[in-house]
Amino acid sequence: MIETQFYSVKPTDLNALETIYGGKIVDLIDSLAAIIARRHSGKTCVTASMDSIDFVRPAKSGDLLVLKTAINKVWDTSCEIGVKIFVENQETKARKHLASAYLTFVALDENGRPTPMPKIILKTKEEKRRFREAEDRRKIRLARKTKIRE
Amino acid sequence: MIETQFYSVKPTDLNALETIYGGKIVDLIDSLAAIIARRHSGKTCVTASMDSIDFVRPAKSGDLLVLKTAINKVWDTSCEIGVKIFVENQETKARKHLASAYLTFVALDENGRPTPMPKIILKTKEEKRRFREAEDRRKIRLARKTKIRE
Amino acid sequence: MIETQFYSVKPTDLNALETIYGGKIVDLIDSLAAIIARRHSGKTCVTASMDSIDFVRPAKSGDLLVLKTAINKVWDTSCEIGVKIFVENQETKARKHLASAYLTFVALDENGRPTPMPKIILKTKEEKRRFREAEDRRKIRLARKTKIRE
Amino acid sequence: MIETQFYSVKPTDLNALETIYGGKIVDLIDSLAAIIARRHSGKTCVTASMDSIDFVRPAKSGDLLVLKTAINKVWDTSCEIGVKIFVENQETKARKHLASAYLTFVALDENGRPTPMPKIILKTKEEKRRFREAEDRRKIRLARKTKIRE
Amino acid sequence: MIETQFYSVKPTDLNALETIYGGKIVDLIDSLAAIIARRHSGKTCVTASMDSIDFVRPAKSGDLLVLKTAINKVWDTSCEIGVKIFVENQETKARKHLASAYLTFVALDENGRPTPMPKIILKTKEEKRRFREAEDRRKIRLARKTKIRE
Amino acid sequence: MIETQFYSVKPTDLNALETIYGGKIVDLIDSLAAIIARRHSGKTCVTASMDSIDFVRPAKSGDLLVLKTAINKVWDTSCEIGVKIFVENQETKARKHLASAYLTFVALDENGRPTPMPKIILKTKEEKRRFREAEDRRKIRLARKTKIRE
């Protein structure tokens, strides 16, 4: 299931070039993804990682951002969430891609220890594709972690 | 040259688990890296991308964060900046790794168009290693972009 | 059409009793309703009035708020938007009513003058009921304004 | 007794039209009224309701807002507070009406239960008029609540 | 004339010791004094200096701060404003001294150049004493500036 | 040892004249000095006083502030920290003096009582000069406090 949320860019979100700064975009992504992870699991969830993110185009004050988010795959105590941000044209409603990110979250119990998360049920072709690709990205993440430890 | 900056975690930076949330950490990283890119280039710089980031351990209110940052490589109009965050123990001054990130910034002229950035001069072995690794990461980024376009 | 948005209560939203303060709730309502008015009209919209609001129950840090919103009726250059806020139980997903509000927005052109807004198309029984009730509330608002002027 | 407080509109209070947004005005009203209720009762107070509010005119960055507030009537464990906001002209000191609101607050003891509030002593004609009108507004509020429950 | 303003300490104003931090207190003082200077002069005013400040006692979340402020003396294009902050006991209304500060403000015209400010009229003994003492403090300030230049 | 920190002026830091307001500058100074005091002592530190401060020149949005800070002298349970702020020109890197301040901090133990702080070791001529001057300023501070008490 895809959740859609809106955000109107505020004067306080801008850098010296009068465009929204990267850190604010990531903040929006992380906050929303944390809500989605928590609603799915019924547990408090913390961000474990965020995959690389490209900032495709800028957004300015008053721009309407549309954030689309989905849970791609659930492992034992963690899940991958994908977030895609668009800028929506006020008059035509046309949406242009701003940035995308994949985050992993871990569900925690009352003692702050990882705890199981319910699986997701795949229905559409699209959901199955996202499920498969999440596993691919996971392998890259694990390889990355192994490399850091070495 | 490595710049070291400090940040004391505030009550407003915490999630429901009373630890600093991922979006805030990325915000700190992005703000600092933007300053470093701008000081080096003498131009306004915008974030073009951020590589994957793992949140290794949590930090709580009052914790002192130490952010170490360096320009790894400069290409024509862009550069890679690495940021490493540690939590510093108040009494022993021992530092534990919290998260690391690599960001690319593009320098812009008055019309918002990419403009050349001065090269960096490599002195130490360490700087030369970071320079080489930055090129490797760039190849992965370009491959990623090509894949997204296809 | 009903839009659903989420908000996770932050430590910075709390009063001395550790519950979310009334002003923050109204701020959330107003921000979201402004986005809905603007998306419907394709114009910048400003709040003209907010009907009375009762704060039925408190919410605390980490609580998940669910905001449901709908455009009830469109007049020439203004519309009424209804917002209902619930607290969602993390485990059972049961929702309890926190507060409700009706706001009117005016669409403005580039010179800041009221400008026409497209009408809404009523489909369901529920939408037709909200449409009728909006007109009743409008009469009360106009009577109120007349009284203030006298 | 009427308390007068000042507020200078900041760049962070503005919407895309560069005027102060409705949610911020209500936030200012609620914060101030909560202080007044608390100073009168010597107890922590929470907002129970806010009557309808009309935003009569806009205010822009740097505008000086004057908030005038008074306790109109005290019932057993609650009271009604009226807040009137004006924009003050910097040179002439002429004040123009921006918005008005009536809020009810409930005093709470250490266990968060409603607790008695001291009565107010009426001296002026003006105070007696506000006292009578507060009772009229209360009847409307109670009727509203009864209707919501049905 | 003495203006009295209130401020309720928020969770976001606290340092790691759960008391309001010095920078926030100075921020409150400066914001209020700027409003007073501007209302008196009818011009935009900027802070030129702030005399030494001692933080006599701490304040915690939910504490009610009372800020009393007065214009002590007006010179050609500048004035001295005194601000005294107290913590008010919720039940007894007893006020304890938190900090005091003297600030100087310069009035600016549309081009950002110093512009004359209207004089104040002294009525009470207290006002005359503050007027004399302001002149003494000014001499110290000028001596300080001369020393810095040398 | 002198620590250097950077800060990029944000739109939210500006007053109506579009320059950074005095309260924000003091906030930056106090936050940074608190970190330095705490890193030196290994204890939580609170601001005890701040000497007079002159705001020499304004700074606008996007300006890069450079904050240089040093511990000048340590007494039993307190220390003096000096902070100097400059605006750095983006292209030439030339630095202009914005403001300077001397603050005293007290180290506190777990019960909030003053606790000893380690001494500093003086190496350079510059450090010895700052050490002597700190003692002079301390005498003025103590005389000021005695006068307030009388």
Side-chain angles (χ1 to χ4, degrees):
Chain A
M1 214 190 86
I2 290 173
E3 292 282 359
T4 304
Q5 301 278 297
F6 302 110
Y7 182 79
S8 178
V9 181
K10 296 180 191 138
T12 51
D13 303 332
L14 307 182
N15 55 28
L17 277 169
E18 306 271 306
T19 58
I20 190 169
Y21 54 98
K24 179 68 198 182
I25 294 173
V26 173
D27 193 9
L28 286 172
I29 287 173
D30 180 61
S31 302
L32 175 54
I35 287 176
I36 300 302
R38 181 181 161 202
R39 291 194 74 224
H40 174 72
S41 64
K43 313 276 177 186
T44 306
C45 292
V46 291
T47 323
S49 74
M50 199 182 78
D51 281 8
S52 55
I53 176 167
D54 294 291
F55 302 100
V56 179
R57 62 165 45 78
K60 53 183 205 306
S61 184
D63 274 358
L64 186 77
L65 304 188
V66 181
L67 295 98
K68 294 185 94 71
T69 185
I71 303 186
N72 296 331
K73 184 162 188 178
V74 174
W75 293 276
D76 284 355
T77 59
S78 69
C79 67
E80 187 201 89
I81 291 180
V83 182
K84 218 167 180 170
I85 307 193
F86 304 87
V87 189
E88 189 182 83
N89 184 290
Q90 192 171 278
E91 278 163 67
T92 64
K93 299 283 170 298
R95 293 177 179 179
K96 287 184 173 173
H97 187 219
L98 188 83
S100 295
Y102 297 105
L103 304 96
T104 59
F105 283 85
V106 175
L108 300 177
D109 63 17
E110 301 77 42
N111 306 311
R113 270 187 299 245
T115 186
M117 228 186 242
K119 295 284 176 285
I120 49 167
I121 296 134
L122 305 173
K123 286 174 195 158
T124 67
K125 259 195 172 175
E126 181 65 20
E127 285 172 357
K128 282 169 193 166
R129 182 185 58 79
R130 285 203 305 257
F131 184 87
R132 279 194 311 273
E133 292 182 359
E135 191 57 41
D136 294 346
R137 282 185 292 266
R138 189 184 200 210
K139 276 169 198 156
I140 297 170
R141 269 174 227 130
L142 292 176
R144 196 172 72 208
K145 279 198 179 174
T146 312
K147 209 183 153 191
I148 290 171
R149 278 199 201 98
E150 279 164 6
Chain B
M1 215 192 84
I2 290 174
E3 292 283 0
T4 304
Q5 301 279 298
F6 302 110
Y7 183 80
S8 179
V9 181
K10 298 185 189 131
T12 51
D13 302 332
L14 307 182
N15 55 28
L17 276 169
E18 306 270 305
T19 58
I20 190 169
Y21 55 97
K24 178 69 198 179
I25 294 173
V26 173
D27 193 9
L28 286 172
I29 288 172
D30 179 61
S31 302
L32 176 54
I35 287 175
I36 300 303
R38 181 183 159 201
R39 290 194 76 226
H40 173 72
S41 65
K43 313 275 176 185
T44 307
C45 292
V46 291
T47 323
S49 74
M50 199 182 79
D51 281 9
S52 55
I53 176 167
D54 294 292
F55 301 100
V56 179
R57 61 166 45 77
K60 54 185 204 307
S61 184
D63 274 358
L64 186 77
L65 303 189
V66 181
L67 295 97
K68 293 185 96 69
T69 185
I71 304 186
N72 295 331
K73 184 162 188 178
V74 175
W75 293 276
D76 284 355
T77 59
S78 69
C79 67
E80 187 201 270
I81 290 179
V83 182
K84 217 165 180 171
I85 307 192
F86 304 87
V87 189
E88 188 182 83
N89 184 290
Q90 192 170 278
E91 278 162 67
T92 63
K93 299 284 171 298
R95 293 178 179 178
K96 287 185 172 172
H97 187 219
L98 188 83
S100 295
Y102 297 106
L103 305 97
T104 57
F105 283 85
V106 175
L108 300 178
D109 63 17
E110 301 77 42
N111 305 311
R113 270 187 299 243
T115 186
M117 229 187 241
K119 295 285 175 285
I120 49 167
I121 296 134
L122 304 173
K123 287 173 195 160
T124 67
K125 259 195 172 175
E126 181 66 20
E127 285 172 357
K128 283 170 194 166
R129 182 186 58 77
R130 285 203 305 257
F131 184 86
R132 278 193 311 273
E133 291 181 2
E135 191 56 42
D136 294 346
R137 283 186 292 266
R138 189 185 200 211
K139 277 171 196 152
I140 296 170
R141 268 174 229 132
L142 292 176
R144 199 171 71 208
K145 279 200 179 172
T146 312
K147 208 184 155 192
I148 290 171
R149 279 202 200 98
E150 278 164 8
Chain C
M1 215 190 87
I2 290 173
E3 291 283 359
T4 304
Q5 300 279 298
F6 302 109
Y7 182 79
S8 179
V9 181
K10 296 181 193 137
T12 51
D13 303 331
L14 306 182
N15 56 28
L17 277 169
E18 305 272 305
T19 58
I20 190 169
Y21 55 98
K24 180 68 197 180
I25 294 173
V26 173
D27 193 10
L28 286 172
I29 288 173
D30 180 61
S31 303
L32 175 55
I35 287 175
I36 300 302
R38 181 182 160 201
R39 291 195 74 227
H40 174 72
S41 64
K43 313 276 176 183
T44 307
C45 292
V46 291
T47 322
S49 75
M50 199 183 79
D51 281 8
S52 55
I53 176 167
D54 294 291
F55 301 100
V56 179
R57 63 166 45 78
K60 52 184 206 306
S61 184
D63 273 358
L64 185 77
L65 304 188
V66 181
L67 295 98
K68 293 186 95 70
T69 186
I71 303 186
N72 296 331
K73 185 163 187 177
V74 174
W75 292 277
D76 283 356
T77 58
S78 69
C79 66
E80 188 200 90
I81 290 179
V83 182
K84 219 167 180 170
I85 307 193
F86 304 86
V87 188
E88 189 182 83
N89 184 289
Q90 191 170 281
E91 278 164 68
T92 65
K93 298 283 171 298
R95 291 177 180 180
K96 287 187 174 172
H97 187 219
L98 188 84
S100 295
Y102 297 106
L103 303 97
T104 59
F105 282 85
V106 175
L108 300 178
D109 63 17
E110 300 78 42
N111 306 310
R113 270 187 299 244
T115 186
M117 227 186 243
K119 296 283 175 286
I120 50 167
I121 296 134
L122 304 173
K123 288 175 194 158
T124 67
K125 258 195 171 175
E126 182 65 19
E127 286 172 357
K128 283 170 191 165
R129 182 185 59 76
R130 285 202 307 256
F131 184 86
R132 278 193 312 273
E133 292 181 1
E135 190 57 39
D136 294 346
R137 281 187 293 266
R138 192 188 196 208
K139 278 170 195 153
I140 297 170
R141 267 172 231 135
L142 292 175
R144 198 171 71 208
K145 279 200 178 172
T146 312
K147 210 183 152 191
I148 290 171
R149 280 203 199 96
E150 279 165 5
Chain D
M1 216 191 84
I2 290 172
E3 292 283 0
T4 304
Q5 301 279 298
F6 302 110
Y7 182 79
S8 178
V9 181
K10 298 182 190 135
T12 51
D13 303 331
L14 306 182
N15 55 28
L17 277 169
E18 305 271 306
T19 59
I20 189 169
Y21 56 96
K24 179 67 198 182
I25 294 173
V26 173
D27 194 8
L28 286 173
I29 288 173
D30 180 61
S31 302
L32 176 54
I35 287 175
I36 300 303
R38 182 181 159 202
R39 291 195 73 227
H40 174 72
S41 64
K43 313 276 175 184
T44 306
C45 292
V46 290
T47 322
S49 75
M50 199 183 78
D51 280 9
S52 55
I53 177 167
D54 294 293
F55 301 100
V56 179
R57 63 166 44 77
K60 54 186 204 307
S61 185
D63 273 358
L64 186 76
L65 303 189
V66 182
L67 294 98
K68 293 185 94 70
T69 185
I71 304 186
N72 295 331
K73 186 163 187 176
V74 174
W75 291 276
D76 284 355
T77 58
S78 69
C79 66
E80 187 201 89
I81 290 179
V83 182
K84 219 166 178 169
I85 307 193
F86 303 87
V87 188
E88 190 182 81
N89 184 290
Q90 192 170 279
E91 278 163 67
T92 64
K93 298 284 171 298
R95 292 177 180 179
K96 287 186 172 171
H97 187 218
L98 189 82
S100 294
Y102 297 106
L103 303 97
T104 58
F105 282 85
V106 175
L108 300 178
D109 63 17
E110 301 77 44
N111 306 310
R113 271 187 299 244
T115 186
M117 227 187 244
K119 294 285 175 287
I120 50 167
I121 296 134
L122 304 174
K123 288 174 193 160
T124 67
K125 258 194 170 177
E126 181 65 19
E127 285 172 358
K128 283 170 192 166
R129 182 186 58 78
R130 286 202 305 257
F131 185 86
R132 279 193 312 272
E133 293 180 2
E135 190 58 41
D136 294 347
R137 282 186 292 266
R138 191 188 199 207
K139 277 171 197 152
I140 297 170
R141 268 173 228 130
L142 292 175
R144 197 171 73 207
K145 278 199 180 173
T146 313
K147 210 183 153 190
I148 290 171
R149 279 201 200 98
E150 278 165 4
Chain E
M1 214 191 87
I2 290 173
E3 292 283 359
T4 305
Q5 300 278 300
F6 302 110
Y7 182 79
S8 179
V9 182
K10 296 181 192 138
T12 51
D13 303 330
L14 307 182
N15 55 28
L17 277 169
E18 305 271 304
T19 58
I20 189 170
Y21 55 97
K24 179 69 198 180
I25 294 173
V26 174
D27 193 10
L28 286 172
I29 288 173
D30 180 61
S31 302
L32 176 53
I35 287 175
I36 300 303
R38 181 181 160 203
R39 289 194 75 226
H40 174 71
S41 64
K43 313 275 175 184
T44 306
C45 292
V46 290
T47 322
S49 74
M50 199 183 80
D51 281 9
S52 56
I53 177 167
D54 294 292
F55 301 100
V56 179
R57 62 166 45 76
K60 53 184 206 307
S61 184
D63 273 358
L64 186 76
L65 303 188
V66 181
L67 295 99
K68 294 185 94 70
T69 186
I71 303 186
N72 295 330
K73 185 162 187 176
V74 174
W75 293 277
D76 283 355
T77 58
S78 70
C79 66
E80 187 202 91
I81 291 178
V83 182
K84 219 167 179 169
I85 307 193
F86 304 87
V87 187
E88 189 181 83
N89 184 288
Q90 192 171 278
E91 277 163 69
T92 64
K93 299 283 171 296
R95 291 176 182 181
K96 287 186 173 172
H97 187 218
L98 188 82
S100 295
Y102 297 106
L103 304 97
T104 58
F105 282 85
V106 175
L108 300 178
D109 63 17
E110 301 78 42
N111 306 311
R113 272 187 298 243
T115 185
M117 227 187 241
K119 296 282 174 288
I120 49 166
I121 296 135
L122 304 173
K123 288 174 192 159
T124 68
K125 259 194 171 178
E126 181 65 18
E127 285 171 357
K128 284 169 192 164
R129 183 186 58 76
R130 285 203 305 256
F131 184 86
R132 278 193 311 272
E133 293 180 1
E135 190 57 42
D136 295 346
R137 281 186 293 265
R138 192 188 198 208
K139 278 170 197 154
I140 297 170
R141 267 173 229 132
L142 292 175
R144 197 171 73 207
K145 278 199 179 173
T146 313
K147 209 183 153 190
I148 290 171
R149 278 200 201 100
E150 278 165 6
Chain F
M1 214 191 86
I2 290 174
E3 291 283 359
T4 304
Q5 300 279 299
F6 303 109
Y7 182 78
S8 178
V9 181
K10 296 179 192 140
T12 51
D13 303 331
L14 306 182
N15 55 28
L17 277 168
E18 305 272 305
T19 58
I20 189 169
Y21 55 98
K24 179 68 197 181
I25 294 173
V26 173
D27 194 10
L28 287 172
I29 289 173
D30 180 62
S31 302
L32 175 55
I35 287 175
I36 301 302
R38 180 181 161 204
R39 290 194 75 226
H40 173 72
S41 64
K43 312 276 176 182
T44 306
C45 292
V46 290
T47 323
S49 75
M50 198 183 78
D51 281 8
S52 55
I53 176 167
D54 295 291
F55 300 100
V56 179
R57 62 166 43 79
K60 52 184 207 308
S61 184
D63 274 359
L64 185 77
L65 304 188
V66 181
L67 295 97
K68 293 186 95 70
T69 186
I71 303 186
N72 295 331
K73 184 162 188 177
V74 174
W75 293 277
D76 284 356
T77 58
S78 68
C79 66
E80 188 201 89
I81 290 179
V83 182
K84 219 166 180 170
I85 307 193
F86 303 87
V87 188
E88 190 181 83
N89 183 289
Q90 191 171 279
E91 277 163 67
T92 64
K93 297 285 171 298
R95 292 178 180 180
K96 288 188 173 170
H97 187 219
L98 188 83
S100 294
Y102 297 107
L103 303 97
T104 58
F105 282 85
V106 176
L108 300 178
D109 64 16
E110 300 78 43
N111 306 310
R113 271 187 299 243
T115 186
M117 227 186 243
K119 295 284 175 286
I120 49 167
I121 296 134
L122 304 173
K123 287 174 196 160
T124 67
K125 259 195 173 176
E126 181 66 18
E127 285 171 358
K128 283 169 192 166
R129 183 186 59 77
R130 284 203 307 255
F131 185 85
R132 278 193 312 273
E133 292 180 2
E135 191 57 40
D136 294 346
R137 282 187 292 265
R138 191 187 198 208
K139 277 170 196 154
I140 297 170
R141 266 173 229 133
L142 292 175
R144 198 172 70 207
K145 277 199 179 172
T146 312
K147 209 183 153 190
I148 291 172
R149 277 200 201 98
E150 278 166 5

